[in-house]
Amino acid sequence: MGNTLRRLYEECYSPRPEGGHGVSPGTAGFDALARDLFQFENTGQVPEGLSQHLEASKKTQATWYNKIQAAWKEEPPKNAEQAATLIVRALHKHHKVNVEGLLAFYGLPYPAASVQIPEQTLQKWPVGVKFELHSLQVDARAVADGDTITVYVDTKKPRESSEVPVSVQKAAMERREARTRRDYVRADALQNQIADAGYRVFDGARNGDDILSRKYRIRLRGVDAPESKMPYGKEAKEALLNLIEGKSLHILVYEQDRYGRSVGDVYCGNIFVQEVLLKRGFAWHYSQYDQRPEFAEWQKEAQAARVGLWASSNPQKPWEWRKDKREGVPIATFA
């Protein structure tokens, strides 16, 4: 985005009257937004006078500009109409009055009817979903067992961009400089520092640029797969790996469990991962925590077909296996 904004700032921007932006709808508003994003990228400061138009703290305003900036980087708008649409979509979780106020501040046109501004929060997820993630491609190391995976999310995504600690940003920059100097010992030490903070740098993964990403541990919601030492534990892990390896995942997160994992529904393209695991008999429906009727039906299908763990006449439930292990009950072994 830097080059795009710099070009707009240097070539298109012309001085405006003091006392607010005072821009008219169209190109002037587009140029003003580009200029302010360029300045925000360098200073971290939102435009003067914005607080007079919106009832929000400076910290909240900075969060908005981080989201808009991240969205601009992904797909730079070419005109005022596209810029208005970008703002609406980047701020879809914020109140309509604030979105409209920001558009008015820049004199940007109200988006077409097909682009909806939410009254409060745009409800595009199932009830209970707190947020969504779009992961980078996962590898074999991502799968811990049949119901737990580790994913990484690009910090340029709107939700992530405003939450990266300054110390992590600084370490990522110093690591890049160390690699340029071929000081790989220093670079590895900085990568470890970044990892300790819950992040990771992927080298040259996007157009030759590094990707600073945030780590999430994901617990598949509503299912419980056999543990690694249980019958079908290895098969369950392999089934999950075969579904997601090399793929980018879409995850709807509902909550965080006591182990710090994000509990969510996982999609790989058009495939609902929990559905496949249940239908193939590589997971139990965890009905104690999730009463979705379709999960029960998918499990019944696998039981009727005697596939996966249901090939056994009396498979042990994972939660009972874990309870026995905690209580010191001898665990049965299987050939």
Side-chain angles (χ1 to χ4, degrees):
M1 180 179 72
N3 290 336
T4 302
L5 291 178
R6 187 175 293 106
R7 184 170 60 254
L8 282 168
Y9 176 58
E10 294 176 349
E11 298 178 4
C12 302
Y13 171 69
S14 57
R16 293 165 296 174
E18 295 183 358
H21 271 37
V23 296
S24 58
T27 302
F30 177 52
D31 296 346
L33 175 61
R35 185 204 70 156
D36 289 342
L37 287 174
F38 174 69
Q39 292 185 343
F40 179 79
E41 186 173 40
N42 287 280
T43 68
Q45 300 297 313
V46 299
E48 289 295 330
L50 185 58
S51 297
Q52 299 175 12
H53 297 259
L54 303 170
E55 296 181 358
S57 67
K58 288 282 189 180
K59 182 177 179 180
T60 299
Q61 293 172 24
T63 298
W64 297 345
Y65 277 76
N66 269 314
K67 291 181 177 180
I68 295 169
Q69 187 181 79
W72 195 306
K73 288 180 180 179
E74 288 192 354
E75 188 174 354
K78 298 179 180 179
N79 52 47
E81 290 74 17
Q82 290 182 10
T85 298
L86 180 147
I87 288 176
V88 169
R89 290 176 175 165
L91 304 183
H92 69 272
K93 296 178 68 176
H94 296 274
H95 289 269
K96 179 179 179 181
V97 64
N98 287 325
V99 179
E100 290 179 330
L102 194 58
L103 291 174
F105 182 69
Y106 286 105
L108 292 173
Y110 195 91
S114 60
V115 181
Q116 297 296 320
I117 296 179
E119 287 295 337
Q120 291 189 7
T121 300
L122 181 63
Q123 184 62 44
K124 62 176 181 177
W125 304 317
V127 175
V129 173
K130 299 297 191 298
F131 58 91
E132 65 180 343
L133 301 172
H134 292 273
S135 80
L136 300 174
Q137 291 182 350
V138 298
D139 58 29
R141 293 173 296 178
V143 179
D145 52 38
D147 54 38
T148 305
I149 57 178
T150 298
V151 302
Y152 289 89
V153 177
D154 191 342
T155 56
K156 285 183 167 52
K157 295 291 184 182
R159 181 179 183 276
E160 307 297 334
S161 60
S162 62
E163 300 182 5
V164 183
V166 173
S167 59
V168 171
Q169 296 177 3
K170 181 179 179 182
M173 183 180 301
E174 290 179 359
R175 179 181 180 275
R176 184 167 59 250
E177 293 172 351
R179 285 177 60 84
T180 299
R181 299 192 306 269
R182 297 187 178 182
D183 184 354
Y184 298 116
V185 173
R186 174 60 175 164
D188 289 345
L190 289 164
Q191 180 79 304
N192 291 335
Q193 179 183 329
I194 293 167
D196 289 341
Y199 291 81
R200 179 178 173 182
V201 177
F202 289 88
D203 299 315
R206 178 184 52 213
N207 299 325
D209 295 332
D210 295 344
I211 295 181
L212 175 62
S213 60
R214 183 176 177 179
K215 177 181 178 181
Y216 285 89
R217 293 177 65 224
I218 307 296
R219 175 64 165 82
L220 274 63
R221 180 174 180 253
V223 300
D224 197 1
E227 298 293 335
S228 298
K229 295 183 179 180
M230 293 180 66
Y232 294 97
K234 293 180 179 178
E235 290 86 346
K237 177 179 178 179
E238 185 177 350
L240 178 56
L241 177 60
N242 289 338
L243 279 174
I244 68 174
E245 186 176 11
K247 309 291 179 55
S248 297
L249 305 178
H250 178 208
I251 304 164
L252 301 180
V253 177
Y254 289 78
E255 60 183 337
Q256 188 174 81
D257 69 11
R258 59 179 175 170
Y259 303 107
R261 299 174 299 186
S262 297
V263 180
D265 289 339
V266 179
Y267 296 85
C268 183
N270 294 324
I271 297 173
F272 182 26
V273 172
Q274 283 100 307
E275 177 181 358
V276 174
L277 295 178
L278 285 168
K279 286 183 173 180
R280 294 182 181 176
F282 291 116
W284 291 74
H285 175 207
Y286 212 172
S287 56
Q288 179 181 352
Y289 297 100
D290 192 315
Q291 288 79 43
R292 283 180 282 186
E294 62 268 29
F295 279 43
E297 289 300 319
W298 295 333
Q299 178 170 293
K300 288 179 182 178
E301 288 182 28
Q303 288 174 311
R306 300 187 65 82
V307 295
L309 64 91
W310 303 111
S312 173
S313 60
N314 187 30
Q316 187 177 18
K317 300 177 177 66
W319 52 90
E320 292 181 352
W321 187 91
R322 292 192 294 269
K323 181 174 181 292
D324 288 347
K325 188 176 181 181
R326 288 195 301 270
E327 296 177 354
V329 176
I331 303 297
T333 58
F334 298 81

